[in-house]
Amino acid sequence: MTLQIRKISTRKEFKTFARFANKLYKGNPYYVPSMPFDDLNTFDKKTNGAYDFCEAEFYLAYKDGEVVGRVAAIINHKANEAWKVKQVRFGWIDFIDDINVSSALLEAVAEFGRSHGMTQIVGPLGFTDFDPEGMLVEGYDKVSTMALIYNHPYYPEHLKKLGYGKETGWMEFRLTLPQTPPEQHARLAELVKERYNLKLVKKTRRQIMKENYGQKVFQLINQTYCKLYGFSILSEKQIDQYVSTYLTFVDAKMLTFVENEEGELVAAGLSIPSLAGALQKSRGELFPFGWWHLLKTMFLKRPDTVELLLIGVRPDYQNRGVNSLIVVDLINIYREMGFKYAETNACLETNLKIHAMWEPFEKEQHKRRWVFGKEL
């Protein structure tokens, strides 16, 4: 049997690349399909602002003429400079259970890295933290989420056999939402609100766009996450891209902002109804009826689970309990909207602040994911 790794360049090849995982996991009850049109925009140099500081190549693996794997090779020069490393990233990696396939795909990424002077290969990582990252190493029998990667149990086993080790890790929690905010958060919220003259702010989608509030949110994210693993500061072009992609369709009731007495944004919490079921029904495609499943889930017939996309607090307001203001507000909103559970985003194992925030909740740590790496 003949195995080939081909660097892709045509629109047709990129469509094959974008849809491969959905084909590989067809029928898997835990996999949540990606949206190929969204992936194609991410891969396109014309629409993805990350190409201003990233280089990338994309590969498909063929065995006897059939696609059996895919991978992206990415060099984020801004992140490498910030973290003083020379890393090539592998992302969007999927493959059949054949170590010859996974080995050949990763070697293509490694060779791309060597040709650009890189000394280490790491992944799964995307262009930025807003792309899928981290390989699942626990929780294969749990339904995935829209924002995070699902993979077969054999994936990490392949990487270990190929000499890759753990670079960093994340945990995910499933929270049971209480009828009232936890007393610890409620008491602290009132205290910090008065002590620091803070106020909760709600905005309509129209206000968010008119007042450039989306840009303020992502500038806050830059400040909040700049010291977390592998993060690269978002450019103005990227911020405009993410605002138009995400903040124009979310339910504004599920967005909570905190301002200080000068009217500056110092904290934000963003969440959405879980889109897992809608994406599974639509198989990741908007047409012919995928758009309806997504619309219904967002605004008409909500699921019982909400996805916590992010909570960010400006560095000079951290360690003051400001996050409790957001938690209290969102818990009250979730109760009104009928949610019973919450899926956290991936939390770094070393981020003790975020773990402490979930401590008062009834919870299950049900997934874990790693970034793997090795020297070139």
Side-chain angles (χ1 to χ4, degrees), residues 202-205 208 250-257 299:
K202 308 300 281 190
K203 299 280 185 179
T204 65
R205 284 200 303 278
I208 289 171
V250 297
D251 190 332
K253 287 187 295 186
M254 302 177 70
L255 307 180
T256 295
F257 310 114
F299 300 105

Side-chain angles (χ1 to χ4, degrees), residues 3 21 24-25 29 48 54 68 116 119-120 166 180-181 195 210-211 245 252 298 309 321 334-335 338-339 369 373:
L3 175 63
L24 180 67
Y25 288 94
N48 187 353
C54 290
V68 292
H116 288 74
T119 59
Q120 188 183 30
K166 178 185 177 183
T180 57
R195 178 176 294 176
K210 185 177 180 180
E211 300 172 17
T245 301
M298 287 293 297
L309 297 184
Y334 297 157
R335 185 183 68 248
F339 295 113
R369 58 187 67 247

